Amino acid sequence: MQISERSVASFHYTLTDDQGQVIDSSEGREPLTYLHGTGQIVPGLEKAMEGRQAGDQFKVDVAPEEGYGVHHAELMQEVPREAFQGVDDIQPGMQFQGRGPQGVINVTVTKVDADKVHIDGNHPLAGKTLHFAIEVTDVRDASEEELAHGHVHGEGGHHH
């Protein structure tokens, strides 16, 4: 069976950056399981999964536009240190949730000055080409319940 709309696919993956450093991997864990066509994985990877079947192994490079998006300079800001009340030791790399015009936004601290904190609201992988090594482990038809709920149930999925 091939991966297509209305199918559930499971796969192992290793994600690396341009230098070949591993960013994330399913090694030693259960394969990632998703409902194809619902945007649960980045668009470029979902397109590359189309038509694949259990046992397929392949590599795909996903451009930022079809991954986590391009890097937006306007999402990098300086905010007063007072905005972090209750946090005594703010360090680069720390992540916080804030409110933006479109609602909740996740930000990462990039630099800390005496009175200002520099934050970045871009996804940590924004602007980066994603290099995936994929092994498809299973493909099956989605159940009517999974299609109605928009996600996988049972093995490798959501349990109600």
Side-chain angles (χ1 to χ4, degrees), residues 74-134:
E74 65 272 15
L75 293 178
M76 298 185 72
Q77 299 178 358
E78 293 179 8
V79 294
R81 197 177 182 115
E82 299 85 59
F84 293 87
Q85 290 179 356
V87 182
D88 295 331
D89 187 26
I90 304 169
Q91 297 290 324
M94 293 176 99
Q95 295 185 325
F96 295 91
Q97 280 192 337
R99 289 227 167 259
Q102 280 79 36
V104 176
I105 184 171
N106 293 315
V107 298
T108 302
V109 174
T110 57
K111 182 178 164 190
V112 180
D113 294 333
D115 58 346
K116 288 191 166 69
V117 177
H118 302 254
I119 59 171
D120 185 350
N122 287 285
H123 186 282
L125 297 176
K128 298 187 185 319
T129 298
L130 309 173
H131 306 279
F132 287 98
I134 302 293

Side-chain angles (χ1 to χ4, degrees), residues 9-62:
S10 299
F11 64 97
H12 279 292
Y13 67 93
T14 298
L15 170 60
T16 57
D17 62 16
D18 287 337
Q19 289 73 43
Q21 297 285 69
V22 175
I23 297 169
D24 192 15
S25 175
S26 64
E27 187 175 330
R29 302 190 316 232
E30 291 295 314
L32 180 65
T33 301
Y34 77 103
L35 179 59
H36 191 76
T38 57
Q40 295 174 345
I41 60 176
V42 294
L45 180 56
E46 190 165 54
K47 286 179 188 172
M49 296 291 282
E50 184 84 26
R52 305 287 183 160
Q53 53 195 5
D56 284 358
Q57 294 183 28
F58 63 97
K59 292 185 177 190
V60 61
D61 297 331
V62 176

